[in-house]
Every structure is written in structure tokens, then in C-alpha cells.
Amino acid sequence: MTPKIKKRLTIALVVLASVASLALAAIAVVINFVFTPAKLTPVVLRAANESLNADLRIKSVELTFFSTFPQFGLRVEEGTLVSKVLTDSAFSRQDSLLSFGECVITVSPLAYLTDNKILIHNMQLKDASVYAYKSKEGRSNWDIVKASADTAQVAPADTASFNSAIDIRNIELIRANLTFDDRDTRVYARMDSIHLKLKVSLNKERSSLKLAFDNKNILFWQQGELLVNHVATSIKTDIVVDHVQRKWTFHDTELSVNGIKFDAEGTVVRDTLSQTLDMDVRYGLHAPSMETVLGMIPQSIVKKAKVSAKGEVMVEGTLKGVYGKQQFPVAKLAIQVKDASAKYADLPYGIDKLTANFEACVDLMRNTPSYLNLKIFHFKGAHTDVLADGRVDDLLSDPRISFHTRSLVDLNALAQTFPLQEGVSIKGKLDADLTLNCKLSSLRNQDIGRIRMLGKLQLNDFAIRDEQKSFDFESSASFTFSGDKTLQAEAEIRRLMLKSRVLSSTIERLSAKVTSTNPQDTTRVVSMQCSLNLNKLKAGMGDSLVLYSGKTIATVSLQPGKLNPAKPLVGLKFRTDSLYARIRQTQMGMNRGDFDVHAEKLRDSVWNTTGDIGFDKLYFKTPEFTLPVIVKDTRVTLGNKTISLNGAQVQIGRSDLTARGSIYNLAGAMMKNETLRAKLDIESNLIDCTQLVNSIALPADSLSTPIDTVSSSSSDMKLFVVPQNINFELQTNIRKVTFDKMLFEQVHGAVDIKDQYIYLKDLSMIALGAQMKTVAVYKASSLKRAYTGFDFRIKGINIGNLVEFIPALDSIVPMLRSFKGTVNFDIAAETRLDSTLNVLIPTLRSAIHLKGDSLVLMDGETFAEMSKMLMFKNKKENLVDSISVNITVDDGKVNIYPFLIEIDRYKAAVGGKQGLDMSFDYHVSILKSPLPFKAGINISGTPDKVKFKIGKAKYKDAVTPVNIHKIDSTRLTMEGKIKHRFQRVTH
């Protein structure tokens, strides 16, 4: 190369590099400063919302080049598309057409400029959710492109002038969910976790599409029936589209359903006028052979192994007809296996002969009969001979099932025919010769008597075990069916044992005999009776359900319902020496129980249960209540979800009671955590409230706590939360009630427990030698704080006992320390309680009235100083003829309204204020005294430091009617608030 050429080449490379650098720099400027996400996003949103009858929202739109080099790209993040087709406002689930996490599109502008081709290199959508909805009127939420007169007029011209090809190299859908909800045809389908890859070439007359698709699950409902669930699919196909004929042709299509592969081909023609698809698709098993059929056995049971097989296998079907508005194609399937045989390597037994012929037809339009038809199934080999045939007619209405088998199965040899997975074992022998005829409606409606069965079934030392799935089943049983026009059967289960991760059960010696009547009337349930003897039954479902029954004799009957003869009425007469059940942490046990119960079906899952249950002893325990409930020598009556008690004797720790009344919804409370309701009359010799409260306050993991260790000591008293789902109305007549150190006798009145409230209304009792009446409310939503409100009216109580009964009075009214004698005491109050049931003084609101006669004024701190100052004759004790004091507590202050007191040689009016910090400011007006003048004494300070000051008398006479009315009104208002608080929150 000459220096001159070399120089020119160098210059050219420098120029090209400069141009490229300038171009890259220009692109960088455009992307980072001109078409920024902040500027581009509003433009895209405005354009989309103007052209779509929908509301599009996206987080950002970004133009890309360097991350998608050498193509330009567009990245859209976090978008939602809400259709406005059905409504313009108040959007609902049906309008949520699309949402996605990220969408990236890369295109090649040069391909359009040089080859007149729109080339999309990649279109990727991640974390998308599509909800396609069609209303009953046929309106679809995906018809969102706006149509106008202008666009309609220019559309033909634009279409004619547009002659560019479209080439899409890759469309990818990652982690998508699709829901199709067609209310017109009543079809609901959902696909979860979709992955999709597409390669598309679009031309004017002919296009092609290559597709790879898979998903984890398909759910399909039609006409309210669940038809498909737990189905994983994958599809690979090449599709050619003829735009002129609107015809789609499928080639090399492979469909996999739960690992079973099918091949398909055919055509779909679209009719744009009727908006329908005319389908003609053929499908069949991929590579049909005996090896393929054996490969359909789940690998969780049979492991892959070398197998030699022969025989003719055919699996094929068609899908023909129109799909559109209330139209579905007809699906057919045919399976044939002729003279097949197979043998796995290194196993002693094989399949000597296998013949099968199965046909199916499903026509959702019901123009042709839908059926399943097993013409023959014959398996021979490994000391086993199974011959069976069956048919299901009226598949889409009320399927009629007929089945017959004559089988001798040696499971010990059969287990050595297939290479079972490690841990899977089968053994035993089965001998069956059965004929079955029934309708599916008979099973759905529990009309068991309409089942026709003839023949026998015997299981000897039958066992199936799968160690990987923790599944173990063993049984020896025999069944004999002799009914021609009726169901007649005898069964004997000598032993049954089932263990799995979900369910476990054992039965020791069960025998049963079943007889039914001749069903002449098809509008009535057939009467049937089953006599049963059982030695022992154990059953469990994980950690949530345990059931045990000892030696049992039972009779189960089935007959037409009283309200509707087409619905069953099930009767159970049941006698057992022991019964135990545990549902989650709720336990129930029974000794020597007998049942006579009837349950009539009203509608799906709704039964009306009546009857009675008797037992010697019933044990009940729940995690919300530490103490066990023991009921003795009781018979209860069931009816309309109600349990009626007539003198049930109940022991709860040290408490005893006799209950009469009704309990409602016990099953719903145990199974579904619904509200347990009760209306009961309670009589008792002793109720230990401290122990009962502690049993509620203790944690749920203390179920095993012995009764004697649940303390009745006040030092253990804690706040307790009343269980949420109980609603009790109790009428009480109790001889003794203990609470803390208090003893209440002759307790009568009503107690309501509802919405975590305890409400005592007009309860009367005797305590501390005084007659009491009370209204009280208690509520705790947590173990830290509680609310209580109460109205006590006490007659003839000793002042010392009163302070012991209400310890807070010593702080509220410290002058009580200076008196002794008997008073009448009324108090209405509401307050918050701490975790140890102590009153939180700053939250206390109260109205108090105290009245007493012939009281003795003792040598208290305050009045001792007054006796010295006023020169009382008796400075130790002085008799007070009468006293009537009214007090209110509110906002941390105690108001003592003026009251009259006569003592020694004096008559005085006393009143004042006191803080809950024990500071006070009292005034005593001397109304009558040996002194020649009236005076007043101001007393202030604290109990530790009292100040006296003589001044002018503030009170001119005794207590006025205005003051009496004021305190009475305050107390009555508080009493009403307490009652209304409970009534408001529980209605």
C-alpha cells in the first residue's frame, strides 16, 4: 500500500469514526435531554387515552438505544389499562383489562427505510395480568379502540397505501396470568403463570406464526360447574394465516397436558360478520405405542425403565364445529389398544395381554348425545385378570352410570410387574364381580337407595404404601351386594388402617348390613337402613381434627324429608362406651353416650338437625378457657341448630352450676369460628370468679394446667379478655360467689356476655353483711387496658367493710377514715383498669351518695386538729346524729357538695374539693356553736401537712335542694350512660 492510499484510508476512517461519534453523541443528547421519560411519558399517555376508550396509566416511558444496541427501543414500566367500554366511572373488577410490570420493544428503523419492512426485533412483557370480560349483553371490555367518522373515511385509503411487511422476530410473555370471564356463554377460565414466545411474519395476503407456550394451571368453569382444575399445559405450533380466506392452518402442533403429549393439526376459519370461528381440528397421542401408554403412568409411582412392548395403540380425536356467541364445537376422543403386551427389564412378571376400547363425545350445545363409553378393558398377566366395561350417558344433564367388572388381582405379583418408585409398595389380593347402575344425581342428593349393585368385593391383606408421600393404607374387608331392584348389602371390615400427611384412620372390626325399599316414586328419596357394629375407630386430619370412638352400635337410616320428599332425612341411633373429638385445640370427650339424631337436608350444605344426646360424663376444653368444663348425667335435645339443656350439671374447676336453657350454633363455633350463643338459667352453690377470671387470663398454651393450680389468689388477678365469638344471656340464682377476698351470697339477676362485654343488669346480692344491687359493664380488647362502668346501691354497710370492698374510696374520700358505723352507699362510676385490674384513678368518673345515722367520729388526722381548735368535750369519739354526703369525681378532681353535720356542741356545713393526688381544700361553716359568732374554717394541704385557717362562713344554712338535685341528676345520668354503652355496642 502506497503512502498516499494509506493516508487517504486513514482520513476516511477518522471521518467515519467522527461521524459515528457525532451520531452516538447526538443520540445520547436526544435520549437524555430531549426524549426524557419525564417528557415522553405524558405524550404517550395523552396519545393513548385520546385513541382508546380506556384509562392508561404508566410509571414511565423511556427511549433506549445503548442498552438495546444496535436497535432503538421503548421501555414502559408499571402500566395499567382500565376499559371504559362498560362504564365511564366507578370502575370495577370487570374493567381492569391489563396490568404489567415492564414492557420493552426494540425496532430497526433501517429495515423500513431500505426494505420497506417494519422489523420488530423484540417485544417483551413481564408480570402481566389480563382480565378479559364479556357481559351478558355481549359487550367486551377489550373493544377499546375508538371509532370515528374521520377514521372510518380515511381507513380504506390508508390501508391501500400501506404495503409494508411486518416481521416480528420475538414476542415474549413472562410470568403472566390470564382470566377469561364470559357471562354471555357462562364460561370462566383462568391460566396461571404463563410463559409465551412468538415469532411472527405479517404480509398482506399470507402470514406465519411460530408459538411456544406453557402454564402451570388451568381453571375452567362452564354453566356453574367446575370442569377443569390442576391442569398444566404446553403448546408448540406453527400457524399459517390466509388473510383472504380468513383461515388459520396449524402445522407441527404439540400439546402437553400434565406431561401427556398430543399432536394436533387442522384449520380455523373466522367469520367476521357473525363473529364466530369454524373449527376443524384433529388431535392424537404423540407417537402412539404401548411404550407411550406406559409412559402416561405418573412417575411419582412408576420410575422410568427399559421396557419391551408390542401391540397396536390408537389415541385420536376431533374438535369440529362453530365457536362463538353461545356456540361450542363438538369434541370427540377414541382410544384403542389391541392385543398389547409389555415387560419391563429385570422384572419377573409382565403384561401378557391388554385390550381396551374407549370412546367419548362432548357436545356443550346438546345437539348430539354426550357420553363416555368404555366398551372393553381387559388386562391379563402377573396372576391377574381384570375385565371391565362401563358407560356414562346424559353426560351434561344427569349422568347415568353403568359399570361391570370381573377381576382377580394378585397385587403381590402386580407389584413385580411395574418398576415402582423407591418407597412405593403394593400387596394383597382382590376378588371382585360387581355390577353398578345409578345416576349421578342420586349420589349428589344423598339418595343412596337408588344405587343398584350386584356381586361381591373381597380384599385380603390389601396394602398400599408410599414412603415419599407418607401414605400407608391397609385393609382386609368383604362386601356382598344382592339387590336387583333395591340396594341390599353386607359389609365386614376386619381391619383398616390409613396414614397420610392429611388424613389418618384405623378401624378394628366393623360389620354393617344395608337394606332399602323398592323405589317406585322417582320424586321421593328411597328409604334405606344400615345397621352397624364397630369395635374401635380412630381418625385424624393433620393437627386440626382428631376423632376416637370405642365399642359402638349404630343404626343409620335414610328416608324422604318431611319438608321436601326429594331431599334426604338421615337418622342416626348411636351408642358408644367412649367418644373423643379434638378440633384444633378444642377438645371434647364423652363416657357412655347415646345419640338419637335426625338431620334433614334443606339445600346444599344446609341441614336441620333434631334429636337428643345423653351421656354419663362430658369433658370440654378450649384454648380460650384454661379450666375444663365437665358435665355429668345429662341429656340434651337438638333442634334447629339449638342444644336444649334441662338441668345439666356442670363443674368448672371449683365452680358448679346447673343449667337450663338453650345453646345455639355450637358446630359453627367449633368448625368455622362463628358466634356461640346461649340463653340459660343458672343455679349454683358456688361460683369462684377469681379462678374463672384467671383461667381466661392464662395463655392458650396452658391447656394442660391442672385444675388445682389455677389460682384463686388475688395476687394472681390479671386483666382478662372475654372471648370474641360468644353471646350469652344468663339468668342467675347463685348461693355463693367468691371474687378476690370477697364473698357474695344470694346472687340473683341477669348477666349478658356479648361482643367481649360482660354486662350485669339489676343484680342483687348480700355481701359484707349488707344488701347490694348493681348494674355493671366490663370490656377488655387487650391484656393491657380495660373499661368498666358500674352502679352500686348498698344498704346498711359498715364503713370499714365499705373501704375494703372499694379500696379506691380511701383515696377519693379520706374523711371516711375518721368515721365508724353503718351507712347507705350509692355509687355510679366508670373508669379504665390496668393489667392487674387496678383502677386508673385519672380516668375515674363517679357520682357518690353516702348517708348514715348515729355515726361515731374517731380521732382521725384532720378532725383531731379540729377538735382541739373547737374545744370538743370528747376529743376521742363523738356521735354524729346523721350525715348525708354527695360527691362527684371528674377530670382528676373530687367535688364534695356541702352537707350538714351535727357533732358535740356544734352544727356545721362541710364541703370542698380534693385532688386525686390527695391534696384537698375543705371549708367548714359553723352554723351553731357555743361561740357568740358564726365562723368558718378553711382546711387545706395534704394528709401529711394540714393547714387550718379561720375565716368567714361560706355556707349560710344546711344543704339546699338545688345541690341535692344536682348530685342525684349526675348519678342517674351516669347510670343511664353505663346501660346505654352496653346496649349501643351490642346492637
Side-chain angles (χ1 to χ4, degrees), residues 24 99 111 156 310 354 370 423 456 501 547 554 565 589 656 658 845 856:
L24 292 174
S99 65
K310 62 180 181 179
L354 178 63
S370 296
K456 65 175 183 177
R501 293 173 181 171
L547 176 66
D656 68 87
T658 300
R845 295 179 63 248
V856 174

Side-chain angles (χ1 to χ4, degrees), residues 398-447:
D398 186 4
R400 180 184 294 277
I401 305 167
S402 61
F403 176 78
H404 173 256
T405 182
R406 188 172 66 248
S407 304
L408 289 171
V409 181
D410 186 341
L411 294 170
N412 298 303
L414 202 62
Q416 301 178 62
T417 304
F418 299 93
L420 302 179
Q421 288 284 5
E422 296 296 331
V424 177
S425 62
I426 305 174
K427 66 178 183 177
K429 291 186 178 182
L430 181 148
D431 184 0
D433 186 357
L434 287 175
T435 299
L436 166 68
N437 286 282
C438 71
K439 286 188 175 182
L440 186 60
S441 60
S442 300
L443 301 177
R444 288 177 175 173
N445 298 329
Q446 289 81 37
D447 195 358

Side-chain angles (χ1 to χ4, degrees), residues 115 163 205 301 334 357 382 424-425 448 549 560 570 735 752 769 930 980:
D115 299 329
N163 59 1
E205 295 182 353
I301 300 174
N357 192 342
V424 177
S425 62
I448 310 299
S549 178
V570 180
R735 183 166 170 265
D752 288 352
H980 292 155

Side-chain angles (χ1 to χ4, degrees), residues 64 119 241 306 339 575 608 648 656 942:
T64 66
L119 177 59
V241 182
K306 185 177 180 181
D339 299 326
R575 178 173 294 176
N608 181 29
D656 68 87
T942 64

Side-chain angles (χ1 to χ4, degrees), residues 11 15 65 78 80 264 295 319 355 378 459 483 535 574 601 767 770 935:
I11 293 172
V15 171
F65 177 74
E78 297 183 17
T80 58
L319 193 63
T355 301
H378 190 195
L459 286 172
N535 275 7
F574 180 91
K601 186 174 183 180

